[in-house]
Amino acid sequence: MARTREFDEDQVLDAALQTFRRKGYEATTLPDLLEATGLARQSLYNAFGDKRELFLKSLRRYADTEHGRMAEMLRSLPIREAMAAIFESVLRSADRECGCFLVNAASELLPREPEVGRIVASAMARQEKALAGALRRAVRKGDLRLPPRRIEQTARFLMASLQGLIVMTKAMPRSRAGRDAAAMALRAIE
């Protein structure tokens, strides 16, 4: 008879995610993961497979969580307020030291790890779709004047600005450059 798991899978994934996010894939060792998750080696392997599979599951979890946060802001706030809040959260991020797990993973592992590329591309496509949907709603409500053909382009620009801002704030945390870049990106939806 199989034993029931005596741990919360989501908590273990979150602990592994934070370890990978802080150290990177290559620098994270099995002992690091065992210490962070509190699991024994065999339990970790039985539940999540090898280090690579744990990393990919952690990356997918992060992508889903971050998409949910962004999508909720875009649904619940007017587009300008939502984007200002999203940019501000990046500028004030306490996790600046760790940075965005998606950006970190792409920087470290692409192009040699195609599955990471698929996860990151999917996350970006979902961001773009959420942004385009918010822009369309704002245009329908009369809150934003944007020709229909520019909605997708503007969504892509905002997404690229957000990703660039994440990198800028990590690389230059005390620079005014990030705040200036966010202000210019917001002008696209004035």
Side-chain angles (χ1 to χ4, degrees):
M1 183 197 302
R3 286 181 43 184
T4 59
R5 289 193 179 151
E6 297 176 9
F7 59 87
D8 181 312
E9 190 168 312
D10 290 337
Q11 286 179 345
V12 170
L13 272 177
D14 288 340
L17 186 160
Q18 290 307 321
T19 304
F20 284 127
R21 187 175 174 199
R22 188 176 60 257
K23 296 186 83 172
Y25 177 75
E26 295 293 338
T28 299
T29 64
L30 182 59
D32 293 332
L33 293 168
L34 297 176
E35 181 180 337
T37 62
L39 293 181
R41 179 185 308 246
Q42 197 57 50
S43 294
L44 189 73
Y45 284 141
N46 289 344
F48 300 101
D50 61 12
K51 174 183 164 181
R52 180 181 180 275
E53 285 306 309
L54 180 58
F55 179 82
L56 295 174
K57 286 176 184 176
S58 297
L59 189 60
R60 286 184 194 99
R61 179 170 174 80
Y62 180 86
D64 291 345
T65 301
E66 291 304 306
H67 174 72
R69 284 188 190 134
M70 181 180 193
E72 178 56 32
M73 290 180 89
L74 291 169
R75 275 191 304 270
S76 63
L77 296 171
I79 185 67
R80 288 180 190 95
E81 288 178 44
M83 287 310 301
I86 290 166
F87 285 143
E88 188 61 31
S89 72
V90 171
L91 291 167
R92 291 179 179 227
S93 177
D95 271 337
R96 203 175 287 146
E97 183 179 303
C98 293
C100 172
F101 191 26
L102 291 164
V103 171
N104 295 349
S107 298
E108 180 182 7
L109 299 170
L110 292 181
R112 73 179 189 277
E113 185 58 64
E115 185 59 22
V116 170
R118 284 188 281 279
I119 294 167
V120 172
S122 173
M124 289 182 165
R126 289 190 301 168
Q127 282 181 352
E128 182 184 319
K129 185 176 179 182
L131 286 164
L135 291 168
R136 277 190 200 87
R137 286 190 299 278
V139 168
R140 278 195 306 269
K141 288 180 178 179
D143 295 338
L144 181 64
R145 293 174 50 146
L146 198 60
R149 71 182 188 288
R150 294 257 329 271
I151 288 174
E152 301 295 326
Q153 292 171 335
T154 303
R156 288 181 188 121
F157 171 74
L158 291 171
M159 183 194 61
S161 297
L162 176 61
Q163 297 304 318
L165 185 61
I166 290 167
V167 174
M168 285 179 76
T169 58
K170 186 174 179 182
M172 305 180 305
R174 289 177 261 305
S175 171
R176 174 102 186 127
R179 199 156 291 284
D180 290 344
M184 289 304 293
L186 288 171
R187 292 187 70 185
I189 52 175
E190 285 182 343

